[in-house]
Amino acid sequence: MNKGQTLIEAIIATLVVILLATGLISGTTAALKASQSARYRALGTKMAQEGIEIVRNKRDEGWNGFISHYVLTDAVPKTATENITITEGSLTFQFTRDITLTYTSGNQTTTVFVDVTWSEGSATRHAKAETILTNWR
């Protein structure tokens, strides 16, 4: 009877260890996935803001040149697309940044909309930024 009881205790102890190990592995995997997702979001948001700054710098070089070179047509959006790869250590992040400019001659403004996209598993994620530029000089 004592030998059977020891065998049952060993099996139960093994099952407890397996359950604990499985829980630790699952928790670690989920934490790593959440960390990478947060890193993607941070980089995507940074690139969306960077897109706004790129256009703002072009506007600051001169409004008329900006309108004639980058915007061209009243109320017809113009979009530029850029693929961006960022490598941090052993991690590589792939993004696509679309910058859309829409000029309105009536109030002399250009709406800038930036949409940064990336893939996480089977989902496509976005970081967006928008501003309105005027001829402030």
Side-chain angles (χ1 to χ4, degrees), residues 98-115:
D98 294 320
I99 300 175
T100 302
L101 306 175
T102 306
Y103 176 67
T104 306
S105 61
N107 58 6
Q108 294 286 302
T109 62
T110 300
T111 301
V112 181
F113 179 75
V114 181
D115 183 16

Side-chain angles (χ1 to χ4, degrees), residues 3-18:
K3 283 186 176 183
Q5 195 173 13
T6 305
L7 179 61
I8 291 172
E9 289 173 352
I11 291 172
I12 291 174
T14 302
L15 288 175
V16 168
V17 168
I18 289 171

Side-chain angles (χ1 to χ4, degrees), residues 43-44 46-55 58 78-86 93-100 113-118 127:
L43 288 170
K46 178 182 174 186
M47 281 188 277
Q49 289 299 320
E50 183 180 77
I52 295 286
E53 290 303 315
I54 289 168
V55 176
K58 295 296 182 188
K78 182 176 180 182
T79 301
T81 300
E82 177 182 18
N83 293 315
I84 302 167
T85 301
I86 296 176
F93 300 94
Q94 298 282 339
F95 298 90
T96 300
R97 177 168 54 201
D98 294 320
I99 300 175
T100 302
F113 179 75
V114 181
D115 183 16
V116 177
T117 58
W118 65 92

Side-chain angles (χ1 to χ4, degrees), residues 23-41 90-91 93 120:
L24 288 172
I25 291 169
S26 296
T28 302
T29 303
L32 289 172
K33 198 172 190 181
S35 175
Q36 184 171 10
S37 180
R39 185 66 184 141
Y40 264 115
R41 274 193 314 275
S90 63
L91 298 175
F93 300 94
E120 279 186 47

